[in-house]
Amino acid sequence: MKVWPFKIVEGNNGKPMIEVTYQGVTKLISAEEISSMVLTKMKEIADRHLNDNVKSAVITVPAYFDDLKRQATKDAATVAGLDVLRLISEPTVAAVAYGLDQKSKIAGAKNVVIFDLGGGTFDVSLVIINKGKFEVKGVSGDAHLGGEDFDNQMMDHFVVEFNRKEKKDISKNPRALARLRVACERAKRILSSTTFTIIEVDCLYDGVDFSAKITRAKFEELNMDFFNKCMEIVNKCLEDAKWDKKMVDEVVLVGGSTRIPKVQQMLQEFFEGKDLCKTVNPDEAVAYGAAVLAAKISGKRNQMVQELTLSDVTPLSLGYHAVGDVMSVMIPKNTPIPVIRERTVTTVVDYQSNFYFKVYQGERSKVTDNIYLGEFILHNIPVALRGIAKAKVQFEIDVDGLLKVSAEELITGQKTDVKITNGKRSISKEEIDKMLNDAKKFKVEDQNYRKKVEAYNDLEYYVYLMKRRVNDDNVRKMLSPQNLRKIDDLVAGAMVWLEIYKLVEIDVIAVAEKKKKLECAFNAIIGPFM
């Protein structure tokens, strides 16, 4: 939040909302709405490319996304008008891209580490690939570690340098920081292929230009803590799955940030000199694998895709609040999904009338240290001494990694069946409907805005052609002094009109009328364009 160029404010029930100004009005937008806008734009691109209406999609998420984030992603897809065929972890489908690329070379089972370091998240997956079968054995990661962190570290470094050099504080100016961050991201990319570069931003703050040198060594020093954290997560993932380094046959790089030389060096040293696999484009691997999976699900597939089988795992343990603030684990981390687990529970106090379940996700012993997912109540159980009344609790994770919990009282058969959502943070049906209506409204507004821009650009181009023709010496010789003044005034007036209406709301009809009048006046003096 400290480095974002926009504000985060508290919405209903403590839900974080993004505050933006749109057409002069301040609006509060949820993360799911922003995500749906991105998905809507991608859908439009796909529609144009395929000349068809795309209705379904396979959506990938970071492996370490918990249940709430996965559900929020699915909600965003609903708002974007997409039916989610499958929600799947990014490194899992990246393994598909690698596996198909290497299919002819793979003999027998191969143990593969997928090292996925992107712009905002980091995931590690351990996958066994054997004759088209992709079996995930372990995942680990950090949902808040990636290239943006490297950019921000560099930006913080240059903020200090700018403040020291110019005796001006830019840390409170979001626009200046955003421009500096863009320059830092560009420098980061350049440093992957050269040992130093120059950061240059014209008129960064208060009219001051900024220019500074940064070396690859300095970049590595600034981000060494993040790089070390990546290696720690790799090590933890291997330990959780009880894999030894020597068991790993391939280390596959996925995500743009894996191009950083220091990351590659540290990873190679961690695996004792093993060559890293770079045959798959790190920017395209996830999308490629998702497309293959979509082809398999939709039935449009060749023999190689038909043989593909994928099994993912749950990234975090799932359980409920037990006596003494302890989390009773129902589904341990790295359990293959889909999965169903059941357990019988009993009352813990005399004459208890309800079973009250709080559901959590995480690896800590105390429930308060884990992620709260939601709660539900099984009402009207037979009143008796403690330990008499019993209920069967069931945790079910579907292929998308989403959780459903149910409970049944064994004597009366009383049941409750709920899809776990965090009531405070999740989107209600009413909110989803509102987002859908807003999306339709914004679509109309966007279409109108596009028409205005096209009309304005059309007029601007016509004025440019007028100006170019009027400045032609041969044309000027043909005109009388009176007509020459008229035509010069006409062009000058059109230029002023364009400048005045550049930054304000314009009407498409008004622009079209302006162009029509210009054409008539121009044609009367000089004749139509050839």
Side-chain angles (χ1 to χ4, degrees):
M1 285 171 61
K2 289 177 183 176
V3 297
W4 285 336
F6 48 84
K7 285 183 182 177
I8 300 294
V9 298
E10 187 173 337
N12 294 335
N13 297 316
K15 184 178 176 68
M17 303 291 283
I18 298 159
E19 185 179 279
V20 296
T21 302
Y22 179 73
Q23 294 186 343
V25 180
T26 299
K27 293 179 178 287
L28 298 184
I29 301 179
S30 68
E32 290 89 343
E33 272 184 284
I34 297 291
S35 188
S36 73
M37 291 173 187
V38 175
L39 288 169
T40 300
K41 183 64 178 176
M42 293 173 72
K43 180 183 181 302
E44 288 173 2
I45 293 168
D47 287 349
R48 283 198 300 271
H49 181 75
L50 298 170
N51 195 26
D52 201 353
N53 182 24
V54 175
K55 296 177 182 176
S56 306
V58 168
I59 297 183
T60 64
V61 294
Y64 230 54
F65 258 27
D66 59 47
D67 186 80
L68 296 177
K69 290 173 185 171
R70 288 170 187 260
Q71 186 59 57
T73 302
K74 208 162 185 180
D75 290 341
T78 301
V79 175
L82 289 168
D83 174 35
V84 182
L85 298 177
R86 185 85 175 267
L87 207 62
I88 191 159
S89 300
E90 290 170 1
T92 302
V93 289
V96 172
Y98 162 78
L100 294 184
D101 182 65
Q102 299 290 310
K103 189 170 175 62
S104 60
K105 305 172 190 175
I106 294 177
K110 265 201 172 184
N111 296 335
V112 179
V113 172
I114 308 293
F115 184 92
D116 183 356
L117 184 60
T121 60
F122 172 56
D123 295 309
V124 181
S125 283
L126 311 180
V127 185
I128 297 177
I129 302 176
N130 189 13
K131 296 179 181 177
K133 184 179 179 183
F134 295 77
E135 187 179 1
V136 180
K137 286 297 184 183
V139 295
S140 193
D142 190 321
H144 305 284
L145 172 61
E148 288 179 358
D149 297 293
F150 311 148
D151 301 339
N152 290 332
Q153 283 291 95
M154 212 191 312
M155 185 186 74
D156 290 343
H157 168 72
F158 285 122
V159 164
V160 172
E161 188 167 327
F162 181 89
N163 293 349
R164 179 179 55 80
K165 275 184 181 177
E166 306 298 333
K167 303 295 186 289
K168 297 175 185 286
D169 185 12
I170 66 167
S171 59
K172 300 291 188 294
N173 188 302
R175 189 179 294 275
L177 293 178
R179 293 180 64 216
L180 182 57
R181 188 181 296 108
V182 169
C184 288
E185 183 188 8
R186 193 182 306 119
K188 175 188 69 178
R189 294 172 185 272
I190 293 170
L191 288 173
S192 292
S193 55
T194 187
T195 55
F196 75 92
T197 188
I198 306 292
I199 293 256
E200 289 182 311
V201 187
D202 293 337
C203 200
L204 176 59
Y205 179 66
D206 206 14
V208 177
D209 296 340
F210 180 65
S211 176
K213 177 181 175 182
I214 185 164
T215 63
R216 184 187 289 176
K218 184 63 181 178
F219 171 76
E220 291 169 357
E221 178 193 328
L222 290 171
N223 290 289
M224 191 52 69
D225 287 346
F226 290 127
F227 299 157
N228 285 330
K229 189 176 182 181
C230 290
M231 299 308 125
E232 289 168 12
I233 290 172
V234 173
N235 189 52
K236 186 177 185 307
C237 190
L238 290 169
E239 287 178 353
D240 288 347
K242 297 181 172 56
W243 277 25
D244 187 82
K245 293 179 187 178
K246 293 175 183 175
M247 293 171 61
V248 176
D249 298 308
E250 287 279 8
V251 180
V252 178
L253 302 181
V254 178
S257 295
T258 58
R259 289 191 172 93
I260 297 171
K262 189 64 177 179
V263 172
Q264 294 186 8
Q265 179 198 331
M266 292 175 72
L267 194 58
Q268 195 163 21
E269 288 172 358
F270 179 87
F271 285 102
E272 298 169 356
K274 182 179 292 295
D275 287 337
L276 307 178
C277 177
K278 305 174 190 175
T279 59
V280 181
N281 185 327
D283 293 318
E284 296 176 0
V286 172
Y288 181 100
V292 170
L293 180 58
K296 178 180 171 65
I297 293 171
S298 63
K300 298 173 182 177
R301 55 188 185 268
N302 60 24
Q303 187 63 32
M304 187 183 288
V305 175
Q306 195 170 0
E307 294 170 358
L308 170 72
T309 57
L310 273 175
S311 72
D312 214 341
V313 296
T314 180
L316 296 163
S317 299
L318 287 148
Y320 59 89
H321 187 173
V323 179
D325 240 11
V326 172
M327 176 158 130
S328 181
V329 175
M330 287 284 288
I331 301 177
K333 176 182 177 178
N334 289 337
T335 299
I337 58 175
V339 62
I340 297 175
R341 291 284 168 86
E342 294 179 341
R343 182 177 297 167
T344 300
V345 297
T346 63
T347 51
V348 293
V349 296
D350 293 341
Y351 311 116
Q352 188 175 324
S353 60
N354 299 316
F355 277 112
Y356 181 43
F357 294 95
K358 281 189 174 182
V359 182
Y360 289 84
Q361 190 168 22
E363 307 308 313
R364 305 289 293 275
S365 298
K366 287 180 66 177
V367 288
T368 48
D369 293 328
N370 291 319
I371 302 162
Y372 169 73
L373 297 182
E375 57 194 56
F376 68 101
I377 302 173
L378 181 59
H379 294 284
N380 302 323
I381 64 174
V383 176
L385 296 175
R386 59 183 290 182
I388 300 296
K390 295 180 180 179
K392 182 174 70 178
V393 182
Q394 184 182 88
F395 276 46
E396 178 183 353
I397 302 179
D398 62 20
V399 290
D400 296 326
L402 299 174
L403 175 66
K404 188 170 77 174
V405 180
S406 62
E408 179 185 357
E409 203 284 314
L410 296 179
I411 296 174
T412 63
Q414 178 80 8
K415 289 182 181 178
T416 182
D417 188 331
V418 294
K419 194 173 190 178
I420 287 295
T421 58
N422 183 332
K424 289 185 178 180
R425 296 290 176 87
S426 62
I427 305 180
S428 66
K429 175 71 167 60
E430 292 74 19
E431 286 176 303
I432 287 178
D433 289 341
K434 181 182 177 296
M435 287 181 193
L436 285 168
N437 290 332
D438 286 348
K440 288 175 185 174
K441 187 174 74 175
F442 290 146
K443 187 173 183 179
V444 172
E445 289 177 0
D446 288 344
Q447 286 172 345
N448 291 337
Y449 178 73
R450 193 176 292 116
K451 287 177 184 175
K452 288 178 182 180
V453 171
E454 287 171 358
Y456 182 90
N457 289 342
D458 186 42
L459 175 60
E460 187 178 44
Y461 183 63
Y462 182 77
V463 172
Y464 164 75
L465 291 178
M466 280 174 54
K467 187 178 177 184
R468 192 172 68 176
R469 187 157 189 211
V470 167
N471 287 337
D472 187 295
D473 288 340
N474 293 327
V475 172
R476 295 186 78 81
K477 286 175 186 175
M478 292 165 50
L479 296 173
S480 67
Q482 185 181 3
N483 281 340
L484 198 56
R485 272 196 307 276
K486 280 184 181 178
I487 205 77
D488 283 340
D489 290 345
L490 203 63
V491 171
M495 298 291 288
V496 170
W497 192 93
L498 284 169
E499 192 61 36
I500 290 172
Y501 288 95
K502 192 175 193 177
L503 300 175
V504 297
E505 285 295 315
I506 53 174
D507 183 75
V508 177
I509 297 171
V511 177
E513 283 294 322
K514 181 68 177 175
K515 186 185 174 189
K516 192 175 178 181
K517 287 178 182 177
L518 277 173
E519 284 178 328
C520 289
F522 192 80
N523 293 346
I525 299 171
I526 206 169
F529 285 119
M530 298 299 290

